[in-house]
Amino acid sequence: MKKIRVLLAGETWSSATTHTKGFDQFSTAEYQTGIAPLLAALEGSDVEIVHLPGHETHTRFPFTAKELEAYDVVVLSDVGANSLLLHPDTFVRGKRTPNRLKAIAEWVEGGGGFMMIGGYFSFQGLNGAARYARTPIETILPVTMLTADDRVEVPEGFHPTPTGAAHPAIDGIGGDWPYLLGYNETKLKDDATLLLSVGSDYGDQPLLAAGTYGRGRTMAWTSDIGPHWLPTEFTEWDGYRRLWTQAFAWLAGRS
């Protein structure tokens, strides 16, 4: 069977650090990625990840629904709306360019599979700077978003709480789920299915939700796919691989 082709945009960042040692000072820079645990978990599976780093999203992310047909599933993870809205032709040169958030929605309506994964620049994000609220992305997702900073840090940890809903994405994953350290606060839409919540201590807000838009399927995972919100204990858990292979299969219409 042909592999499920997933375009995952985001999960990279650059850090600049200034070191002060007495009278002297120097700077270092580092490029980092957060996708390694997912790639390792999916190795040898029916899922092929095409990774588009965050710093390339504004120039290389497909412009049209037609271009997105090269993929079965599209995932945005920790990359803000501006990275898709502000192509250099628009931001630097003042030219009109296609709205890629609208292109994603059009593609999903026609039968594509879309997921947003949580992080500091997912949903509404750090200081509200991810800016997906009131966009076509919010329209197609199974959750609505806050219009301010939506991060909920849980340093003491919380355990995902299954709601009892039967769904192919979580089929066969039993027992206690490993702890998580935070998530983006959202609200379940009336026509969506809540598969996992963050637990009663946090108002049973969505952790994993599924829905449809037109002929397409959508999911929201409001925590991370790796540290810091999703620790090593989770990525090394047997259910980690099963969760993502089954979620992508459902989004692609394979289950």
Side-chain angles (χ1 to χ4, degrees):
M1 180 180 291
K2 184 180 178 182
K3 285 200 171 190
I4 298 166
R5 202 157 187 252
V6 178
L7 175 64
L8 191 153
E11 284 301 325
T12 65
W13 61 95
S14 298
S15 302
T17 305
T18 299
H19 305 257
T20 301
K21 296 189 175 184
F23 186 86
D24 297 302
Q25 186 178 85
F26 68 97
S27 297
T28 60
E30 184 179 10
Y31 173 74
Q32 299 174 314
T33 68
I35 197 173
L38 181 65
L39 293 180
L42 295 178
E43 188 173 351
S45 74
D46 292 332
V47 179
E48 174 191 358
I49 298 288
V50 179
H51 184 211
L52 183 58
H55 65 279
E56 297 182 16
T57 301
H58 65 302
T59 55
R60 291 184 51 213
F61 193 91
F63 278 108
T64 66
K66 181 67 176 176
E67 291 178 271
L68 289 171
E69 291 177 3
Y71 306 97
D72 300 297
V73 179
V74 171
V75 179
L76 296 180
S77 182
D78 214 356
V79 60
N82 284 332
S83 293
L84 287 93
L85 292 170
L86 297 177
H87 187 278
D89 282 347
T90 295
F91 187 64
V92 178
R93 304 174 188 95
K95 298 180 179 180
R96 294 199 297 178
T97 53
N99 186 322
R100 288 177 280 190
L101 303 186
K102 289 183 178 180
I104 292 171
E106 179 185 344
W107 173 73
V108 172
E109 188 173 21
F114 176 77
M115 173 184 270
M116 178 164 279
I117 292 172
Y120 274 24
F121 276 86
S122 297
F123 299 98
Q124 199 66 353
L126 175 69
N127 298 325
R131 296 187 61 250
Y132 285 106
R134 300 175 181 173
T135 71
I137 299 302
E138 183 179 42
T139 299
I140 65 177
L141 281 174
V143 296
T144 58
M145 305 178 197
L146 305 185
T147 55
D149 193 319
D150 61 5
R151 296 168 304 125
V152 181
E153 302 286 353
V154 190
E156 73 277 23
F158 72 91
H159 290 274
T161 302
T163 63
H167 194 277
I170 57 172
D171 184 48
I173 305 177
D176 294 332
W177 289 59
Y179 69 90
L180 298 169
L181 297 171
Y183 63 96
N184 298 90
E185 181 178 349
T186 62
K187 182 179 179 181
L188 188 73
K189 290 181 178 177
D190 291 339
D191 58 350
T193 302
L194 183 62
L195 308 181
L196 298 169
S197 82
V198 298
S200 58
D201 288 346
Y202 296 91
D204 289 319
Q205 295 166 14
L207 175 61
L208 180 63
T212 58
Y213 182 77
R215 293 190 289 117
R217 300 178 175 189
T218 66
M219 299 189 85
W221 168 263
T222 63
S223 193
D224 215 331
I225 56 172
H228 76 278
W229 279 350
L230 193 145
T232 303
E233 287 84 349
F234 203 109
T235 62
E236 293 180 348
W237 171 54
D238 290 343
Y240 181 71
R241 173 186 169 97
R242 186 160 190 159
L243 170 65
W244 294 111
T245 54
Q246 293 181 167
F248 291 144
W250 180 79
L251 287 167
R254 301 280 185 92
S255 63

